[in-house]
Amino acid sequence: MTLHDEIARRRTFAVIAHPDAGKTTLTEKLLLFGGAIHVAGAVKSNKIKKGATSDFMEIERQRGISVATAVMGFEYAGCKINILDTPGHEDFAEDTYRTLTAVDSVIIVIDGAKGVEAQTRKLMDVCRMRKTPVIVFINKLDRPSKEPFDLLDEVEKELHIRVRPLAFPISNGPTFKGVYNLYEKNLSLFTSDEKLTADASTIEIHDLQAPELAQHIGEKFADQLRQDVELVEGVYDAFDREAYLRGELAPVFFGSAVNNFGVRELLECFVRIAPSPRPAPTESRTVEPQEGKMTGFVFKIHANMDPNHRDRIAFLKICSGMFERNKNYLHVRSGKQMKFSSPTAFMAEKKSVIDEAWPGDIVGLHDTGNFKIGDTFTEGETLKFTGIPSFAPEQFRYIENADPMKFKQLAKGIDQLMDEGVAQLFTSSLNGRKIIGTVGALQFEVIQYRLEHEYNASCRWEPISIYKACWIESDNAEQLADFKKRKHTNMAVDKHGRDVFLADTNYALTLAQENFKDIRFSFASEF
Ligand code: G4P
């Protein structure tokens, strides 16, 4: 197969959702269809169980398991599908945001009873920013759900994206009858069977007026379906794939993941419409997947939680060309040539050494602490991929060395944990003290524990009252200098030496934004 063919058949995506909407369940069903697993329950979910929030070791253990399922590849209908897993726990949202930089499209799962939830909104913001094509799967129709048209309106309004249903449910809850596939014009009747791998109960009905419709779902629901479909066709424009690929239009499916219902329709449509690897922006130019030379970037680093094996796995997304085992590549940041004797690929049930990989694929590289998120590998060109976000942290503490003999170990530990993207380090301009900022409170415990166990260093936290950190930039040098002077006590620098304003309160931030019009305040920076 040529490079072109390999690219064309690849679909690299992530399933994202508010916790509990059914992301893990849907992922598992997709894997069942792909034959990547054979029994339900085989995927060790990286879902962090409810109630585990106080036990961060349990969370880390579960995250450890998730290394194996971080990327799950399988073949379906001639396509090589790569599903990238994302942590469900809110405190690890940054991890999810970064994973979104490595996918070419996403499937968003929404609970039909709850509608759009907080985390769905945030994740969609990232997709919108990156113009990632999204498909929406409205789940749990076997439970009493909101009305389908209300759900469609809610998705459109809350997620700021046009929608186009490609399937439509027939009732929900105890009277859920099935889903009418508007794309293929056939009817799938609801049967509850968790082990189903191929949906046997699809009935072809090309004419909704045909009397046989009522034989299957009853007169009342047949009438309702006819009305609903008429309304759909009247209200929504025909599905426009180009608009979907531009990230402007989301096709919507309805179903019940746990009952494996509506999942086949979703997958069939997905392989047909979802994009193959897309061009990737760098600081100097756009890299096309078809380019002959290999390029790729590290979007995630996962530490090994086993204290006997401190090494880490860096996840490399291939952006162009063919990646080969034992071939020399340039690690752009260090300028060093490196080759990898045991790059791994991740299939659902096992990790295996691979000889080659193609654009869209994710390769696991063994790392002894040399790599950072955002690192680029090429065949010699000096490139830096852009757009890997680092979000403004919302929780802050001073970090202090609790053991003066272990100063070096602490510095090294902090450095490496920051490279992994666990948290962000700021240095106060006022007193030179180190401040750690995280997205969730849990990370402080994780950092302390890992410093102790992996780096033999100990730290102490001290409170600091900061509302938000934002990066500031301006073309007006005078105003910037004035701002930095006046806000001296609230200024810091990040690990790259960029200016960061640590606002005490929302009020202080708003005031600063109003008074210093030439300064750009940003809440996300790039690695
Ligand atoms: P998440 O990864 O998005 O957090 O969600 P997950 O798939 O773990 O699903 C959350 C809960 O919702 C699970 O129940 C799961 O069985 C259930 N669920 C998923 N899809 C459907 C569906 O289509 N219909 C119904 N009725 N339930 C669904 P749980 O009790 O929290 O866990 P478990 O003990 O069943 O694993």
Side-chain angles (χ1 to χ4, degrees):
M1 229 183 268
T2 63
L3 174 62
H4 179 270
D5 295 338
E6 291 287 3
I7 294 167
R9 72 186 203 95
R10 271 173 173 70
R11 305 278 183 276
T12 301
F13 78 108
V15 182
I16 55 178
H18 188 88
D20 261 357
K23 176 175 74 72
T24 310
T25 312
L26 179 67
T27 304
E28 183 175 279
K29 301 300 169 183
L30 292 172
L31 291 170
L32 275 170
F33 273 110
I37 54 169
H38 300 286
V39 283
V43 177
K44 296 280 177 293
S45 122
N46 76 348
K47 181 181 164 193
I48 291 150
K49 292 271 182 283
K50 282 169 262 169
T53 42
S54 57
D55 184 357
F56 74 92
M57 266 315 288
E58 175 60 12
I59 289 177
E60 279 301 298
R61 196 186 60 75
Q62 291 188 23
R63 268 162 58 80
I65 291 169
S66 80
V67 173
T69 57
V71 185
M72 294 162 282
F74 66 91
E75 299 270 339
Y76 187 80
C79 287
K80 164 80 193 294
I81 298 178
N82 295 314
I83 305 185
L84 273 58
D85 203 5
T86 56
H89 198 289
E90 214 182 326
D91 281 8
F92 294 95
E94 271 211 79
D95 213 345
T96 303
Y97 297 145
R98 282 195 292 267
T99 297
L100 292 180
T101 64
V103 302
D104 297 301
S105 69
V106 305
I107 294 178
I108 296 183
V109 185
I110 291 173
D111 183 327
K114 294 189 180 144
V116 174
E117 295 173 87
Q119 198 63 10
T120 333
R121 259 180 238 117
K122 284 195 199 167
L123 292 164
M124 185 62 205
D125 285 344
V126 181
C127 295
R128 204 175 317 103
M129 215 164 75
R130 303 182 52 81
K131 300 193 168 46
T132 309
V134 304
I135 296 180
V136 174
F137 182 77
I138 299 185
N139 191 26
K140 305 198 187 181
L141 267 284
D142 59 312
R143 291 224 187 122
S145 312
K146 295 187 183 182
E147 286 305 315
F149 283 109
D150 291 346
L151 282 163
L152 291 166
D153 286 348
E154 186 175 330
V155 170
E156 203 154 64
K157 216 166 98 221
E158 302 265 333
L159 299 184
H160 306 286
I161 187 161
R162 276 195 297 136
V163 297
R164 177 40 158 121
L166 289 185
F168 210 84
I170 303 157
S171 188
N172 60 61
T175 57
F176 183 44
K177 295 284 175 212
V179 174
Y180 182 69
N181 188 334
L182 294 157
Y183 198 59
E184 291 174 1
K185 301 213 180 327
N186 58 28
L187 180 73
S188 297
L189 293 182
F190 179 59
T191 48
S192 169
D193 180 358
E194 291 199 26
K195 286 177 220 63
L196 217 64
T197 52
D199 200 334
S201 56
T202 300
I203 296 160
E204 300 269 334
I205 295 189
H206 296 289
D207 179 9
L208 281 184
Q209 304 307 326
E212 62 191 284
L213 179 65
Q215 288 165 16
H216 293 296
I217 59 175
E219 206 58 67
K220 181 174 147 223
F221 290 118
D223 276 345
Q224 183 69 46
L225 180 65
R226 288 179 191 122
Q227 281 174 26
D228 288 344
V229 170
E230 203 180 313
L231 195 56
V232 167
E233 303 297 352
V235 170
Y236 298 97
D237 293 336
F239 174 63
D240 174 358
R241 181 171 179 231
E242 291 307 313
Y244 156 70
L245 293 176
R246 288 194 302 271
E248 295 167 7
L249 178 76
V252 181
F253 288 83
F254 292 84
S256 167
V258 79
N259 293 296
N260 206 356
F261 198 77
V263 179
R264 188 190 63 82
E265 287 79 357
L266 173 72
L267 181 60
E268 298 263 307
C269 181
F270 171 81
V271 292
R272 238 183 288 165
I273 68 169
S276 49
R278 307 198 296 169
T282 73
E283 279 175 358
S284 45
R285 65 186 187 88
T286 298
V287 169
E288 299 290 333
Q290 292 80 2
E291 289 177 18
K293 293 200 167 139
M294 197 296 293
T295 65
F297 67 91
V298 173
F299 66 94
K300 177 179 175 130
I301 294 176
H302 210 303
N304 196 334
M305 286 308 286
D306 177 352
N308 298 318
H309 300 94
R310 295 274 160 68
D311 44 347
R312 313 188 291 183
I313 294 178
F315 293 84
L316 180 75
K317 159 93 188 263
I318 310 297
C319 296
S320 68
M322 178 173 89
F323 173 93
E324 288 174 81
R325 186 161 80 93
N326 278 330
K327 181 169 171 175
N328 268 314
Y329 291 112
L330 173 69
H331 177 237
V332 174
R333 186 169 50 82
S334 68
K336 285 187 191 146
Q337 293 285 331
M338 294 183 181
K339 62 179 175 186
F340 302 97
S341 58
S342 50
T344 45
F346 303 83
M347 297 304 269
E349 283 172 304
K350 64 174 194 291
K351 185 170 101 179
S352 53
V353 173
I354 48 132
D355 288 318
E356 55 189 44
W358 306 89
D361 286 343
I362 311 297
V363 178
L365 304 177
H366 179 238
D367 173 28
T368 50
N370 297 317
F371 303 153
K372 279 188 188 190
I373 285 171
D375 277 0
T376 302
F377 286 90
T378 68
E379 293 192 25
E381 191 178 350
T382 308
L383 284 178
K384 183 164 184 353
F385 287 95
T386 55
I388 302 167
S390 170
F391 274 75
E394 291 173 7
Q395 310 249 356
F396 303 87
R397 288 183 199 169
Y398 280 123
I399 183 163
E400 295 295 339
N401 185 6
D403 181 350
M405 305 297 286
K406 302 278 170 59
F407 178 79
K408 266 195 181 158
Q409 286 88 331
L410 183 71
K412 181 176 175 208
I414 293 177
D415 217 38
Q416 290 203 351
L417 293 180
M418 299 307 123
D419 289 350
E420 267 181 44
V422 175
Q424 293 181 55
L425 177 70
F426 303 102
T427 309
S428 163
S429 306
L430 177 68
N431 51 23
R433 289 177 76 182
K434 304 262 182 258
I435 299 165
I436 300 280
T438 65
V439 172
L442 217 54
Q443 267 90 339
F444 293 112
E445 281 177 68
V446 173
I447 292 168
Q448 191 161 23
Y449 180 90
R450 290 189 53 190
L451 284 172
E452 238 164 74
H453 290 81
E454 293 171 40
Y455 300 93
N456 195 20
S458 64
C459 77
R460 201 176 61 232
W461 301 110
E462 283 182 22
I464 176 169
S465 165
I466 297 173
Y467 162 70
K468 219 167 210 167
C470 45
W471 284 265
I472 58 164
E473 268 179 332
S474 178
D475 300 326
N476 182 340
E478 206 180 316
Q479 193 173 94
L480 189 63
D482 183 36
F483 181 85
K484 283 163 70 173
K485 202 166 111 205
R486 284 179 196 228
K487 303 285 176 192
H488 179 63
T489 51
N490 291 81
M491 290 305 300
V493 286
D494 72 3
K495 62 178 186 232
H496 303 290
R498 288 179 295 215
D499 290 322
V500 180
F501 171 52
L502 305 174
D504 300 327
T505 59
N506 188 12
Y507 179 68
L509 178 60
T510 318
L511 210 62
Q513 283 169 318
E514 276 171 15
N515 292 342
F516 294 86
K517 293 269 189 251
D518 287 352
I519 293 182
R520 290 183 298 278
F521 294 81
S522 59
F523 300 97
S525 82
E526 287 187 3
F527 268 86

